[in-house]
Amino acid sequence: MTTKNGLKLWTRRDMLRAGGGSALLLTMSLAGCAGSGDSDSESDADDDGNGAQEPDPDRPLESPMLTEQVEAGELPPLEERLPVEADRLVVEAPELGTYGGTYHGAVLGQGDDPWLERMIAYEPMLRADAQLEEIGPGTFKDIERNEDATEFTIHMRQGMRWSDGEPVTADDVMFAIENVFFNEDLHPNLPTLLSVNNEACTAEPVDDFTVRLTFPQSKGDLIDEASRAAQWWATNLLFFPKHYLQDFLPELNPDAEQLAEDAGFGDWTEYWEDRVQWWNNPERPVLYPWVITDPLNAGNVAVAERNPYYWKVDSGGAQLPYIDRLEFEVVQEEEVMLLKGVNGELDFHSRHFNNDQNKPVLAEGREDGGYDFVTVETTSMNVMIISLNLNHKDEELREIFQNKDFRIGLSHAIDRQDIIDTVYQRQGEPWQGAPHPNSEFYDEEFAKQYTEYDVDLANQHLDAAGLTEKDGSGFRLRPNGERLRFSIDVTNLFPQWADAADLVTQYWAEVGVDAAVNPIERTLFYERKEVDANEYDANVWAGDGGQKIEMLETRWWFPSGGESNYAVRWADYYTSRGTGEHSLEPPAEALEQMELAWQIPLEPDPEKQKELFRQILQISKEQFYVIGIALPADGYAIAKNNLRNVVESFPDSWLYLTPGPIDIPTWYFAD
């Protein structure tokens, strides 16, 4: 356990060490949330000699726009809107900011709600710091654990309020557990946060601000998992305001079905999901620094305005956030977003157009646009993973895809260096879906297997897969005599994926495999790969989980969730323990990986946890589930020069909704 200014913080190593056996108390101190890093410019404020900035005694402790509302009788005084002083989360930043201003950003179409989540909604129960190395307090003040990690006592913040001013209490946590996550209509499978070996924990309120969870076995990974639960679909126990959402559940409101029908939805579950999605529902109370006022699905600009009840303060006691209003213009083309960036119309951005191809034009526009680069450290291990659907509905195509020789043949047919030179500006090196070189689990043989560009070797493996017959155009035939033909779904999220996939299909055509790129919008991409749909042949995505989060982000190591694109129905077997309506029992090797994964959170010894994980990786190496292209280089964001308290670099991970952990509420605009 490390300290910062005398305050206790948990590192990843502490998390592993605490996996099951020793008596430890997770004490989440008020200022335990790490600061947002070094700014590009120095603060001109005085400090106390220890780097702490001395606040101006006349500095306002709330936004002037809120003071006006208080004076008009429209809002309670600040002291009544914040938690009690001892329970306020103090966030340290390089500079004490000033209030005001409008942030200007952009989203790529109506399906780009994940960017709003990343910018606004990283408010998990416990919070990772900017470098994803330490875990400190979040929406919960602290979590106390017993000796064998079977009992966790959650301590909440007294006086915390939802954005509509209603109190946050243990009732909200109990509602989330009993009425949401244990509701089989909403969650057919037990959430891992609330279960061990598919056995649910029990939850009981101790008082208005305390809840106790009791597990049938050690729950060694609860703390770490709690720091990641920020996405709207995650198991976040402080995400559901009972006073608002209870009306949409039939078990608490007999009129819930009628409400859904009146609103134009097929049933209450559809309406529930609509009401929960805060970026499209301004009525829904939240705990975020800003509250949606103009939803993403209703116009050309999504708008969020400051939450008067936000529960964090800076080191001078002033309520966060500093910025009054966020505006995200909805654009349909990545090129339009890029142009806005070059012209200096975006205050910060690290998504969509921030690729190697566009960096030269962005670099050229920095002076006129008034922005500079921020380093985005990759945690991924691949720029693009190709997943063949090993659970394909077509039995014959499924057997072909499951043939390892077929996958090896396709891999050897790809000229990765050509893709790196042509699409990725000569950045990276040929790489499979294997841990990053900076990872402690790095295995060079795993990373480099089958990456050699060799057409003769590719043809040998494709022949060994039984695909020896060809048509008059030289394309290989399936056993039924039809041409082997399939499509590769590519979302428009990152344009370079389509360019790289086009080259891949050209290489494959040279060895007699007919594949075509199918560019589609992200929402449709996900609909096609849902476990109940399973309507895709193959698709591509980034190689998440290469370093820092290898044991947390397991999608590519074995079928472990809906993002394991190569086998979503095997993955459903893992998440449902075989009880899912659409799950398929995987082969013995994948089953062995699942058994190993189920053991990891029960193992108190960190080295034994790692050994179990290494066994998972070894099987993944042998099975060769997916085809990788290249190791990614670090990326970049752009940030306006007058936007202060922005870090110089941060690691990128969707698990943690980055850049969320870099304390966006502390950003402010300098004069």
Side-chain angles (χ1 to χ4, degrees):
M1 189 177 297
T2 62
T3 61
K4 181 180 178 69
N5 298 329
L7 301 166
K8 295 180 180 179
L9 297 168
W10 280 51
T11 65
R12 296 288 171 212
R13 186 172 297 276
D14 295 326
M15 291 294 96
L16 290 172
R17 185 177 295 113
S22 59
L24 289 170
L25 175 67
L26 177 56
T27 304
M28 300 302 175
S29 303
L30 281 178
C33 192
S36 60
D38 296 328
S39 174
D40 287 338
S41 57
E42 295 180 2
S43 169
D44 57 4
D46 296 331
D47 65 53
D48 62 5
N50 296 314
Q53 188 176 339
E54 283 292 331
D56 182 341
D58 297 324
R59 177 173 176 257
L61 298 183
E62 67 178 347
S63 168
M65 66 181 291
L66 297 183
T67 301
E68 291 178 5
Q69 295 179 52
V70 172
E71 292 174 349
E74 299 169 357
L75 270 181
L78 178 62
E79 286 297 310
E80 296 178 20
R81 302 197 313 268
L82 290 172
V84 298
E85 187 170 359
D87 285 359
R88 297 170 193 171
L89 181 55
V90 179
V91 183
E92 297 176 354
E95 300 175 357
L96 296 177
T98 56
Y99 289 114
T102 297
Y103 170 97
H104 294 96
V107 291
L108 191 61
Q110 298 291 344
D112 199 14
D113 53 89
W115 183 240
L116 297 186
E117 284 201 278
R118 287 171 179 254
M119 289 297 294
I120 297 174
Y122 181 65
E123 297 295 357
M125 297 169 282
L126 303 176
R127 185 181 177 93
D129 73 346
Q131 295 303 312
L132 308 185
E133 293 175 349
E134 298 175 336
I135 296 176
T139 56
F140 290 150
K141 186 172 66 171
D142 59 36
I143 298 179
E144 182 182 358
R145 202 200 70 186
N146 71 348
E147 183 174 357
D148 62 359
T150 58
E151 184 177 282
F152 294 81
T153 304
I154 298 167
H155 298 280
M156 303 174 67
R157 300 180 184 280
Q158 186 174 348
M160 175 187 264
R161 295 179 181 275
W162 295 99
S163 56
D164 61 356
E166 290 295 315
V168 177
T169 71
D171 282 348
D172 295 299
V173 175
M174 295 302 298
F175 172 74
I177 296 171
E178 295 181 338
N179 301 109
V180 179
F181 293 117
F182 287 171
N183 185 321
E184 294 184 358
D185 290 318
L186 297 176
H187 296 274
N189 304 322
L190 282 172
T192 57
L193 181 77
L194 298 172
S195 61
V196 174
N197 278 339
N198 213 34
E199 292 185 68
C201 70
T202 59
E204 59 176 329
V206 177
D207 56 40
D208 286 346
F209 302 103
T210 311
V211 175
R212 182 172 295 120
L213 305 180
T214 304
F215 291 85
Q217 299 180 58
S218 295
K219 179 64 178 171
D221 61 346
L222 184 142
I223 302 301
D224 201 68
E225 192 171 347
S227 73
R228 306 195 307 274
Q231 298 91 344
W232 74 271
W233 44 262
T235 313
N236 188 340
L237 304 185
L238 210 51
F239 180 76
F240 302 95
K242 180 180 179 180
H243 69 279
Y244 172 74
L245 290 173
Q246 63 184 347
D247 286 345
F248 308 111
L249 292 177
E251 65 180 336
L252 297 179
N253 179 16
D255 296 326
E257 284 286 7
Q258 187 62 50
L259 285 176
E261 183 179 339
D262 293 345
F265 291 86
D267 61 29
W268 72 267
T269 60
E270 292 180 7
Y271 194 35
W272 166 269
E273 184 170 314
D274 175 80
R275 297 293 82 191
V276 166
Q277 293 179 2
W278 56 269
W279 57 90
N280 285 334
N281 180 14
E283 298 175 358
R284 184 209 192 285
V286 296
L287 295 175
Y288 305 148
W290 299 276
V291 182
I292 286 290
T293 55
D294 295 50
L296 179 60
N297 63 357
N300 296 324
V301 181
V303 178
E305 297 185 355
R306 67 165 57 254
N307 174 6
Y309 295 93
Y310 194 52
W311 42 280
K312 296 179 186 177
V313 297
D314 67 17
S315 58
Q319 185 185 35
L320 296 171
Y322 295 132
I323 296 174
D324 287 334
R325 177 182 172 98
L326 311 181
E327 294 183 357
F328 297 88
E329 184 174 351
V330 182
V331 301
Q332 302 303 322
E333 301 291 338
E334 176 264 338
E335 290 80 6
V336 175
M337 186 178 284
L338 171 62
L339 182 61
K340 287 184 173 294
V342 172
N343 290 340
E345 298 175 37
L346 303 178
D347 289 314
F348 176 91
H349 207 80
S350 64
R351 188 171 170 85
H352 304 305
F353 64 76
N354 304 70
N355 55 46
D356 295 329
Q357 292 171 302
N358 293 331
K359 194 168 186 179
V361 69
L362 285 163
E364 186 176 347
R366 281 182 294 181
E367 183 174 354
D368 290 341
Y371 60 85
D372 210 338
F373 292 128
V374 172
T375 299
V376 180
E377 307 156 30
T378 183
T379 59
S380 294
M381 46 71 178
N382 217 289
V383 296
M384 189 177 89
I385 296 286
I386 302 171
S387 296
L388 304 178
N389 184 357
L390 307 185
N391 299 156
H392 204 289
K393 289 180 177 179
D394 183 321
E395 181 178 355
E396 193 171 82
L397 199 56
R398 180 171 68 245
E399 290 182 2
I400 293 171
F401 287 171
Q402 287 187 10
N403 190 304
K404 183 179 174 181
D405 271 311
F406 180 71
R407 301 194 297 277
I408 293 174
L410 292 184
S411 184
H412 279 302
I414 298 172
D415 187 344
R416 289 171 172 80
Q417 193 59 53
D418 183 41
I419 292 176
I420 292 167
D421 293 344
T422 304
V423 179
Y424 292 102
Q425 305 297 303
R426 297 182 173 86
Q427 299 296 309
E429 62 178 290
W431 207 263
Q432 292 291 8
H436 192 279
N438 294 340
S439 167
E440 64 179 301
F441 303 102
Y442 168 58
D443 177 345
E444 182 179 10
E445 186 177 57
F446 187 5
K448 293 295 185 177
Q449 65 180 357
Y450 319 128
T451 58
E452 178 186 4
Y453 175 51
D454 189 325
V455 173
D456 290 338
L457 189 55
N459 279 314
Q460 290 175 28
H461 280 283
L462 293 172
D463 289 345
L467 302 170
T468 56
E469 299 297 321
K470 299 181 180 179
D471 63 16
S473 299
F475 286 102
R476 295 176 186 270
L477 302 178
R478 293 166 48 157
N480 65 5
E482 297 177 358
R483 179 186 288 189
L484 172 60
R485 177 185 285 123
F486 60 90
S487 64
I488 307 171
D489 288 359
V490 180
T491 176
N492 56 9
L493 188 63
F494 298 109
Q496 62 268 35
W497 285 351
D499 295 337
D502 275 332
L503 289 175
V504 168
T505 61
Q506 294 176 38
Y507 307 137
W508 286 352
E510 293 298 315
V511 294
V513 175
D514 186 2
V517 175
N518 180 34
I520 56 177
E521 196 272 330
R522 179 176 180 155
T523 301
L524 180 58
F525 178 93
Y526 269 88
E527 289 175 354
R528 284 168 58 82
K529 76 182 187 73
E530 285 289 336
V531 65
D532 57 342
N534 193 30
E535 293 176 346
Y536 66 105
D537 298 332
N539 63 30
V540 302
W541 202 259
D544 305 80
Q547 61 169 327
K548 287 184 179 280
I549 55 172
E550 308 95 316
M551 294 179 66
L552 310 176
E553 176 54 272
T554 59
R555 66 172 78 179
W556 301 120
W557 315 136
F558 73 100
S560 55
E563 299 296 338
S564 295
N565 294 345
Y566 51 96
V568 293
R569 292 194 167 178
W570 289 350
D572 191 66
Y573 182 94
Y574 173 73
T575 57
S576 71
R577 300 290 180 117
T579 63
E581 179 182 356
H582 302 286
S583 64
L584 291 176
E585 183 174 347
E589 296 82 4
L591 277 174
E592 183 179 355
Q593 290 179 301
M594 294 175 186
E595 292 291 346
L596 291 165
W598 287 326
Q599 291 178 44
I600 288 176
L602 304 178
E603 176 53 64
D605 185 331
E607 294 307 318
K608 289 183 180 179
Q609 287 187 350
K610 292 178 183 179
E611 178 53 37
L612 292 169
F613 182 64
R614 287 190 175 93
Q615 293 178 49
I616 291 174
L617 289 178
Q618 181 60 34
I619 296 172
S620 181
K621 174 181 175 180
E622 294 166 356
Q623 294 304 300
F624 187 53
Y625 293 123
V626 296
I627 300 170
I629 298 298
L631 185 72
D634 282 345
Y636 62 92
I638 58 170
K640 291 296 289 291
N641 296 333
N642 68 332
L643 185 64
R644 306 296 280 269
N645 284 340
V646 180
V647 297
E648 294 179 349
S649 67
F650 64 90
D652 183 42
S653 172
W654 80 277
L655 277 179
Y656 289 94
L657 291 183
T658 53
I662 65 177
D663 292 320
I664 294 172
T666 68
W667 292 358
Y668 74 99
F669 293 109
D671 294 334

